[in-house]
């Protein structure tokens, strides 16, 4: 035990980058810090890891406290531990990113926590190294989206191909050729066309599609 007492203690926390997709824009949840240091600065939502939980459990708990949602898609981004990253104490933070459907998030709960959805291309300077966390998380999500259909977690259960294309464009920050995109989508059996029509955009309307998880699990080869 003497060995442990010879070293200074370090605080361990988790920070969550929560992505959502709304009105053709990729967004993240941020809010104003309610504590010192950094009170009033824009910040990600996070908290300290308790002595009886793993970092994954701490991230899951933090996400549930903020959103009221369980079993979210969540991946670890990495550790952020610059010595001067937190002026209060020596704190190492493990960052996670999560994907949620904006419509599943109760707006009263959002207001209760004092957070808001902000366009990822318009986020201000955040507390400490949180901007770096966001940049790294977005890059990881871009890589994941190219090889796995995780983007469907950001969409409603029924969606149009235009919505799907705008999602990929928002995540990657680049426009896609409509004809090529739809050609590739039609080759994917796990994206099913339904008989339903969305008429919110025009009188003619657009066909609604859905993601078939069972079909994808039978043949998970994916590359977009």
């Amino acid at each position: 035990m003497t060995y442990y007492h010879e070293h200074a203690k370090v605080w361990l926390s988790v920070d969550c980058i929560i992505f959502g997709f709304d009105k053709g824009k990729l967004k993240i949840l941020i809010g104003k810090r309610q504590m010192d240091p950094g009170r009033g600065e824009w910040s990600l939502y996070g908290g300290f890891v308790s002595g009886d939980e793993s970092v994954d459990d701490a991230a899951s708990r933090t996400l549930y406290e903020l959103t009221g949602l369980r079993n979210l898609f969540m991946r670890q981004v990495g550790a952020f531990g610059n010595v001067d990253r937190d002026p209060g104490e020596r704190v190492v933070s493990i960052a996670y990113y999560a994907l949620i459907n904006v419509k599943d998030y109760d707006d009263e709960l959002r207001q209760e926590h004092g957070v808001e959805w902000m366009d990822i291309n318009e986020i201000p300077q955040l507390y400490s190294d949180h901007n770096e966390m966001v940049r790294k998380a977005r890059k990881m999500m871009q890589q994941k989206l190219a090889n796995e259909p995780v983007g469907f977690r950001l969409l409603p259960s029924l969606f149009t191909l235009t919505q799907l294309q705008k999602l990929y464009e928002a995540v990657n920050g680049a426009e896609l050729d409509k004809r090529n995109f739809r050609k590739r989508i039609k080759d994917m059996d796990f994206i099913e066309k339904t008989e339903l029509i969305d008429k919110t955009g025009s009188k003619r309307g657009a066909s609604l599609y859905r993601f078939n998880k069972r079909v994808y699990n039978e043949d998970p080869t994916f590359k977009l």
Side-chain angles (χ1 to χ4, degrees):
M1 294 295 293
T2 304
Y3 176 78
Y4 294 99
H5 292 300
E6 293 175 352
H7 295 80
K9 291 185 178 180
V10 175
W11 294 83
L12 184 63
S13 67
V14 293
D15 282 296
C16 298
I17 304 104
I18 304 174
F19 290 107
F21 179 71
D22 189 37
K23 298 178 180 178
K25 304 291 184 181
L26 180 66
K27 300 187 176 184
I28 63 169
L29 269 178
I30 59 175
K32 297 288 186 71
R33 281 176 65 86
Q34 303 297 315
M35 66 196 78
D36 294 317
R39 184 183 297 271
E41 293 183 33
W42 287 104
S43 171
L44 296 173
Y45 192 84
F48 287 107
V49 180
S50 299
D52 60 349
E53 63 184 353
S54 69
V55 290
D56 286 353
D57 288 342
S60 295
R61 171 181 55 79
T62 300
L63 286 169
Y64 177 71
E65 290 174 354
L66 178 62
T67 67
L69 303 173
R70 295 191 186 277
N71 301 316
L72 295 175
F73 177 89
M74 179 185 78
R75 291 294 183 273
Q76 189 177 117
V77 177
F80 294 78
N82 286 345
V83 175
D84 60 350
R85 65 175 302 275
D86 192 315
E89 291 285 352
R90 179 75 169 94
V91 180
V92 173
S93 181
I94 311 299
Y96 288 79
Y97 81 87
L99 309 180
I100 72 173
N101 184 339
V102 171
K103 305 302 181 185
D104 290 339
Y105 187 21
D106 188 292
D107 202 55
E108 290 186 6
L109 190 59
R110 178 190 64 77
Q111 294 180 36
E112 178 184 326
H113 285 284
V115 293
E116 58 185 84
W117 289 108
M118 190 168 293
D119 187 333
I120 195 169
N121 297 313
E122 299 176 358
I123 57 174
Q125 180 61 45
L126 304 177
Y127 175 74
S128 185
D129 49 11
H130 289 187
N131 287 86
E132 182 183 352
M133 292 180 181
V134 173
R135 285 191 293 269
K136 188 172 182 180
R138 185 181 188 183
K139 185 175 182 180
M140 290 180 65
M141 183 170 61
Q142 289 171 344
Q143 295 169 343
K144 178 69 72 173
L145 193 65
N147 296 285
E148 295 181 34
V150 296
F152 295 104
R153 297 177 181 270
L154 296 168
L155 292 169
S157 57
L158 295 173
F159 52 87
T160 66
L161 291 185
T162 297
Q163 285 178 301
L164 184 60
Q165 180 173 338
K166 287 186 176 298
L167 168 63
Y168 276 84
E169 290 177 336
V171 172
N172 292 307
E175 292 186 7
L176 298 172
D177 180 80
K178 180 177 179 179
R179 181 178 298 179
N180 289 338
F181 180 81
R182 297 199 172 196
K183 182 179 179 181
R184 295 167 76 176
I185 292 299
K186 288 181 179 179
D187 291 334
M188 299 174 184
D189 294 336
F190 54 84
I191 300 179
E192 297 180 336
K193 183 178 181 180
T194 72
E195 297 180 353
L196 301 174
I197 301 295
D198 174 22
K199 294 187 177 181
T200 57
S202 66
K203 291 183 178 180
R204 182 181 178 184
S207 297
L208 287 166
Y209 291 73
R210 64 187 171 202
F211 172 63
N212 189 317
K213 185 176 181 180
R214 179 185 60 79
V215 173
Y216 174 74
N217 289 336
E218 292 174 355
D219 184 17
T221 304
F222 177 82
K223 187 72 175 179
L224 186 64

